[in-house]
Amino acid sequence: MRTYIGDQEAVSASEFEELAFGFDEGPVGLDRELFVGPPHPESAKDRRARLAVAREVLRDLREAAAAGDEIAGWDALYAKELTKTVPLLRSAARTRRSSRKGAAA
């Protein structure tokens, strides 16, 4: 028996879940990576460019919220909080990496 989701065949249980729940697609709305940063290291130039765009998007969301768009207001709050928490997560990851290096030496 074959299982199809849309026009794609699911050949395993995990592929069925991926197709059914759309794991390949990000959620509609904010691009979290814009505010959080990519999972891989980025150059200083790329980081400056990403943060400049993030500031513009945040400004646009705040303007839309001021004009009465409630969803944009919530998105602006969420994006602002994302930018606050990322340095803590990255510094914790750096601390873990440096403590592992010290333990191995």
Side-chain angles (χ1 to χ4, degrees):
M1 179 176 190
R2 294 182 179 194
T3 304
Y4 287 87
I5 303 293
D7 61 347
Q8 295 185 346
E9 181 181 3
V11 294
S12 67
S14 61
E15 190 172 306
F16 174 80
E17 288 180 19
E18 184 176 318
L19 291 170
F21 296 120
F23 293 157
D24 284 340
E25 300 171 11
V28 176
L30 284 179
D31 177 9
R32 292 185 68 230
E33 194 172 295
L34 178 64
F35 298 95
V36 173
H40 53 78
E42 63 183 336
S43 69
K45 181 180 177 182
D46 289 343
R47 184 173 191 277
R48 283 191 305 271
R50 178 181 55 79
L51 291 175
V53 171
R55 282 190 295 273
E56 289 178 28
V57 169
L58 192 54
R59 185 184 66 238
D60 291 346
L61 288 170
R62 288 179 176 153
E63 288 174 2
D69 185 347
E70 184 178 354
I71 301 297
W74 286 109
D75 284 346
L77 288 172
Y78 179 63
K80 182 179 176 188
E81 294 305 313
L82 281 176
T83 60
K84 287 180 182 178
T85 58
V86 171
L88 296 174
L89 296 174
R90 287 193 181 143
S91 66
R94 273 189 239 120
T95 302
R96 281 193 302 268
R97 275 188 250 131
S98 65
S99 66
R100 287 182 194 156
K101 288 179 185 175

